[in-house]
Amino acid sequence: MGNKLELRNISKSYGRTKVIDNMSLEVEEGEFFVVLGPSGTGKSTLLKIIVGIEQPDSGKVFIDGRDVTRLPPNKRNLAMVFQNYALYPNMNVYNNIAFPLKMHRIRYIDRKVKEVAAKLNITEILQKKIYQISGGQQQRVALARAIVRNPSMFLLDEPLSNLDARVRYTARSELKKLQQELNQTFVFVTHDQKEAEALGDRVGVLHNGVFEQVSDYKDLYEKPKTAWIGDFVGDFPINIIDNKGFRPEWAKIGSGKFSMTVSLSESVSDVYFIHGLMDDGTGIILKSPKPFGSGEVVHFSVEKFIEFKEAENPPQAFSSV
Amino acid sequence: MVSEYRSPKSKYYTYIGIAIFSFLVLLPIYILAIIALGDPSQTVAAYYPALIPSKFTLANFIKAFSGYGSVLIAAFYKSLETAFIVASLAILLGYHAAYGLSKLSFKVSSILIALLFFSTMIPSLTIAIPISVSFLKLGLYDSAFGLALAQELIVLPLTVFLMMGALQSVPKQLESQARVDGAGFFQTLYQVIFPLAIPGVISAFLLSWMMSWDEFTFAVILSPVHPTLPILIYFDSTARGDILTATSFSLLVTLPVIVLTIVLSKFIKGSYLTAGITG
Ligand SMILES: Nc1ncnc2c1ncn2[C@@H]1O[C@H](COP(=O)(O)OP(=O)(O)O)[C@@H](O)[C@H]1O
Ligand SMILES: [Mg+2]
């Protein structure tokens, strides 16, 4: 009990590409669950399987403990916001929001539309055509259309990625507030780890068709299960020497058994990140209170590290700057 | 993006192009109109006919239509009825066929479309005779509905093709969104997709209407007793050999097409279609 959503051994291929590979997942009631992964890893496909637009090749989807795998989308009572909002272009804002109410034959349409519009601050644009409103407003309308009825959970496919940076930050915090107010389950898909960090109660990192790690964001950074996650999560990829991974701030500059030749110093607020190469060509990034010139040799020691499994290929992104 | 920026100059070229094109299309209709409405002394009887006649007359019309107004009206009505049945049926069948085809892979749907068009390559005359035999048995002979069914053979492939284009311009995601919002399959088909395909639907309606309006072969074989307008005019203008009456008739045939085109043209603007999809 308590599980809102359960995926059991889901697999999905398009032709020869296996997008989802025997994936299982449980999402709790009221949880803000973030699916994080680079683009093309099957995040949208996963949401489509949950909502019922795509059928999995095998496996089952449970919502509120009920097997919905064979149910069409309109029988699953889920709400979804698509990446580009998919607003109905022939309807005005009001009718877009009213549409799910009409389809579910819910009463008091007018009152509900106005309530949700007030909540999302779009009352003034209710009579506008959807091509007359800004991207930020479109995002709110899509959100309003999702929350206007009482779905059993919400699925959001990168709803912030189309917004300008400014609008994106406010929209992000508003979304989190909204979820807490509604006290509903959200599954939120993104490729942006900052969003995952800010929003997710738990974050599932999607790679090769499965969740390579599911934990809170802090653990993704501090205790990555694989070198790939260490590389993907964080502003800088994790440093790896002999299958031991360490973050830039886990090393101490000055003395130690390792050394590297500096290629550049990058300033971030009042500290510096020193990029360099070790003698064997391994790229290293270290945190330092002062900059170093290109070509300088820096000695350092590693104070804290994680042991990765053997045979884990060091990720590509290590090619030094 | 090469065409992103368009200089003000290129806009003028567009207008000039449109003007030339409109002139070429409208000139014959204009000449038709002045012969029908102008005084014969200034049009067909003049050595150097004026481009804008100063004397107008309804005499040509009166002469053309007097004596058999009821036959003419019956023919006009029959053509109108047939054309509307053809166009409506084409939309009804074409929309569903096109939706089905749009769900198939491109390879399969193109083969099916090609097969559809193949059927139009059979001369109407070849199939009109056997159809007339069946229609006699079924009681559809000489009826507007029967004629409309036969004309559907020529009209449908093109309608389906046009409608597929219209459906392709409707973003797939809206269909998914509608299903998630609680719409059933048919609700989605009629309440979400159809309104978005309206520009294409109207074009298809107009085209099939016009194809029926001046269709000849099926009309002359399947409905000779109560003929449609083109058939009546053909019989009449060849029999009487009078260019003045013939132009009056031609104008009568042309006018409904123009009216219908103008009435429906405001629906054929597709620019708002993709506005809901950003990114
Ligand atoms: N309808 C489809 N047909 C074929 N391949 C698809 C289809 N949808 C997605 N894919 C492929 O599946 C993979 C995952 O796509 P998607 O779920 O959209 O990834 P993401 O949302 O993480 O960017 C991609 O390689 C994409 O090309
Ligand atoms: Mg996606």
Side-chain angles (χ1 to χ4, degrees):
Chain A
M1 287 305 285
N3 269 352
K4 193 75 203 174
L5 168 73
E6 186 188 343
L7 303 178
R8 213 177 276 169
N9 307 105
I10 298 279
S11 291
K12 175 78 185 174
S13 306
Y14 289 114
R16 284 212 197 106
T17 24
K18 197 151 198 134
V19 181
I20 310 281
D21 188 5
N22 197 23
M23 171 194 288
S24 294
L25 175 73
E26 290 174 22
V27 176
E28 277 169 41
E29 177 101 51
E31 190 177 13
F32 202 123
F33 186 84
V34 173
V35 178
L36 176 66
S39 72
T41 43
K43 303 184 296 297
S44 298
T45 306
L46 181 63
L47 286 195
K48 285 181 192 161
I49 288 172
I50 297 172
V51 86
I53 295 164
E54 292 281 3
Q55 277 287 317
D57 300 334
S58 61
K60 284 186 186 323
V61 180
F62 294 87
I63 289 161
D64 293 319
R66 195 168 62 118
D67 182 355
V68 298
T69 317
R70 295 283 146 205
L71 288 184
N74 50 321
K75 296 276 167 63
R76 295 193 183 189
N77 193 28
L78 303 175
M80 177 158 173
V81 176
F82 285 85
Q83 186 164 11
N84 46 27
Y85 312 139
L87 299 173
Y88 307 114
N90 55 328
M91 302 178 196
N92 64 13
V93 170
Y94 183 98
N95 286 323
N96 262 280
I97 301 174
F99 185 80
L101 297 175
K102 288 179 192 158
M103 290 300 124
H104 284 92
R105 295 175 209 285
I106 294 172
R107 290 162 65 202
Y108 310 118
I109 289 183
D110 189 60
R111 205 188 70 204
K112 290 192 168 151
V113 171
K114 283 177 179 154
E115 265 174 26
V116 79
K119 188 185 227 115
L120 287 171
N121 243 324
I122 47 173
T123 307
E124 296 79 49
I125 58 163
L126 276 179
Q127 295 310 321
K128 291 222 169 141
K129 294 272 180 200
I130 55 123
Y131 51 83
Q132 295 170 322
I133 61 179
S134 70
Q137 289 171 325
Q138 289 188 354
Q139 186 256 343
R140 280 155 189 267
V141 174
L143 214 52
R145 183 174 60 183
I147 67 174
V148 70
R149 68 196 156 100
N150 230 331
S152 86
M153 64 186 278
F154 295 87
L155 309 172
L156 301 101
D157 193 348
E158 311 206 23
L160 309 178
S161 65
N162 277 322
L163 303 177
D164 306 335
R166 254 290 166 61
V167 186
R168 191 153 67 221
Y169 291 123
T170 41
R172 187 201 284 173
S173 56
E174 278 170 8
L175 189 65
K176 182 71 182 175
K177 220 174 80 198
L178 187 71
Q179 186 260 345
Q180 283 163 345
E181 254 173 58
L182 296 170
N183 197 19
Q184 288 270 27
T185 317
F186 276 44
V187 174
F188 178 100
V189 155
T190 185
H191 66 266
D192 180 344
Q193 45 174 308
K194 292 286 166 215
E195 279 176 15
E197 182 179 10
L199 292 169
D201 295 328
R202 280 193 306 156
V203 179
V205 184
L206 199 54
H207 184 221
N208 287 337
V210 290
F211 285 116
E212 201 154 294
Q213 182 168 0
V214 179
S215 64
D216 62 18
Y217 183 83
K218 194 164 156 282
D219 278 357
L220 291 183
Y221 185 81
E222 303 267 342
K223 300 171 194 155
K225 268 194 185 157
T226 62
W228 186 87
I229 289 186
D231 176 63
F232 179 64
V233 173
D235 288 333
F236 298 103
I238 202 162
N239 302 302
I240 298 181
I241 301 173
D242 296 333
N243 284 324
K244 292 177 179 66
F246 60 98
R247 296 290 179 189
E249 64 272 21
W250 297 352
K252 201 170 173 191
I253 287 183
S255 62
K257 61 173 178 170
F258 303 112
S259 67
M260 68 170 192
T261 311
V262 175
S263 47
L264 71 86
S265 298
E266 183 182 339
S267 105
V268 176
S269 54
D270 56 353
V271 295
Y272 293 86
F273 287 88
I274 317 299
H275 300 239
L277 282 180
M278 292 177 60
D279 287 342
D280 62 357
T282 310
I284 297 289
I285 299 168
L286 302 175
K287 192 175 164 186
S288 154
K290 65 182 177 70
F292 288 90
S294 174
E296 270 186 78
V297 174
V298 175
H299 291 270
F300 63 96
S301 57
V302 177
E303 315 225 295
K304 177 183 165 189
F305 62 89
I306 305 163
E307 187 99 37
F308 292 126
K309 275 196 221 99
E310 257 340 293
E312 182 89 47
N313 282 334
Q316 286 292 303
F318 268 112
S319 58
S320 147
V321 193
Chain B
M1 281 285 150
V2 183
S3 61
E4 196 78 327
Y5 172 76
R6 303 192 55 197
S7 72
K9 228 179 186 174
S10 77
K11 208 161 124 193
Y12 287 119
Y13 291 136
T14 311
Y15 283 131
I16 292 170
I18 291 171
I20 293 173
F21 184 74
S22 312
F23 180 75
L24 289 176
V25 170
L26 291 175
L27 189 66
I29 298 175
Y30 175 71
I31 291 174
L32 193 70
I34 58 170
I35 294 177
L37 292 165
D39 193 284
S41 67
Q42 290 188 341
T43 54
V44 284
Y47 275 121
Y48 299 104
L51 207 54
I52 304 167
S54 53
K55 278 192 273 178
F56 292 96
T57 174
L58 284 176
N60 303 330
F61 274 90
I62 293 163
K63 187 167 139 225
F65 300 157
S66 70
Y68 68 151
S70 66
V71 180
L72 197 66
I73 288 168
F76 185 83
Y77 179 73
K78 176 124 183 192
S79 283
L80 216 54
E81 193 188 353
T82 311
F84 274 107
I85 296 174
V86 166
S88 309
L89 216 54
I91 297 303
L92 186 72
L93 300 175
Y95 178 64
H96 294 93
Y99 181 79
L101 284 170
S102 75
K103 291 281 146 182
L104 298 174
S105 77
F106 180 72
K107 238 188 198 164
V108 178
S109 69
S110 357
I111 292 172
L112 289 174
I113 285 279
L115 277 176
L116 273 180
F117 275 107
F118 188 70
S119 73
T120 60
M121 286 160 63
I122 305 165
S124 302
L125 205 56
T126 341
I127 36 178
I129 312 278
I131 287 177
S132 72
V133 176
S134 313
F135 274 13
L136 275 169
K137 286 185 204 152
L138 294 168
L140 287 170
Y141 192 71
D142 209 45
S143 74
F145 186 67
L147 177 58
L149 283 185
Q151 289 178 345
E152 217 61 64
L153 288 172
I154 339 169
V155 166
L156 257 185
L158 201 64
T159 329
V160 171
F161 185 71
L162 276 179
M163 215 86 86
M164 270 186 80
L167 288 175
Q168 264 155 21
S169 72
V170 178
K172 287 274 168 296
Q173 212 149 60
L174 290 176
E175 193 175 338
S176 305
Q177 179 72 56
R179 295 306 301 276
V180 174
D181 283 344
F185 175 76
F186 287 106
Q187 279 175 314
T188 308
L189 196 56
Y190 301 130
Q191 294 180 34
V192 177
I193 304 173
F194 190 79
L196 294 171
I198 285 282
V201 168
I202 298 291
S203 317
F205 185 92
L206 205 58
L207 200 79
S208 43
W209 194 93
M210 290 196 276
M211 282 171 83
S212 162
W213 183 248
D214 68 353
E215 198 277 333
F216 198 85
T217 315
F218 282 127
V220 80
I221 294 174
L222 297 177
S223 185
V225 186
H226 299 95
T228 57
L229 203 55
I231 311 299
L232 187 77
I233 290 169
Y234 170 73
F235 284 144
D236 195 77
S237 58
T238 41
R240 289 208 238 166
D242 180 350
I243 191 176
L244 288 171
T245 30
T247 50
S248 305
F249 281 134
S250 302
L251 210 58
L252 187 70
V253 178
T254 315
L255 272 179
V257 179
I258 295 173
V259 171
L260 195 67
T261 310
I262 291 171
V263 170
L264 295 183
S265 65
K266 75 175 167 108
F267 294 102
I268 315 183
K269 303 175 295 189
S271 57
Y272 67 92
L273 261 191
T274 49
I277 304 289
T278 40

